[in-house]
Amino acid sequence: MRAYAGLVDGEVCGLVGVVREGDTGKYFADFNDKLQPYIDSITIMRIVRASTDFATRYKGPVISIAEHAEGCRMLNRLGFTHLEGAYYAWLN
């Protein structure tokens, strides 16, 4: 797994990166309520954008599943390709 962590008051409150699942990489983002007020900040957006380097360097296909409309919007904005339904892929 390669990921960036978001800290609030020294506590990990969010992760974004790529984790190996079988032969495929899975791009993910997870955060709790403490990080919510900072989600739209420039710092967080820079970290999310930088996390696409993990997908670029991954040796194999990288997929992601959007769980809601905001996830779809963000994956499109980051450069993921929509496959079908909630499925997206990072095409190198």
Side-chain angles (χ1 to χ4, degrees):
M1 178 171 87
R2 299 275 188 242
Y4 288 113
L7 302 174
V8 176
D9 297 329
E11 178 186 342
V12 175
C13 293
L15 292 171
V16 60
V18 175
V19 63
R20 181 181 310 273
E21 285 192 0
D23 295 336
T24 306
K26 183 176 181 185
Y27 183 83
F28 70 94
D30 188 29
F31 58 91
N32 66 20
D33 292 338
K34 280 189 173 183
L35 194 62
Q36 184 64 43
Y38 309 103
I39 289 297
D40 292 330
S41 72
I42 291 172
T43 302
I44 296 295
M45 286 298 129
R46 285 181 179 162
I47 291 169
V48 170
R49 174 65 70 187
S51 70
T52 61
D53 287 344
F54 298 137
T56 299
R57 289 185 272 153
Y58 190 81
K59 305 280 191 235
V62 176
I63 62 162
S64 188
I65 301 170
E67 295 181 352
H68 43 71
E70 179 64 20
C72 292
R73 187 186 70 75
M74 184 57 72
L75 289 171
N76 281 311
R77 186 174 174 189
L78 291 173
F80 280 78
T81 301
H82 181 249
L83 299 175
E84 181 180 324
Y87 291 92
Y88 287 79
W90 184 263
L91 304 177
N92 291 332

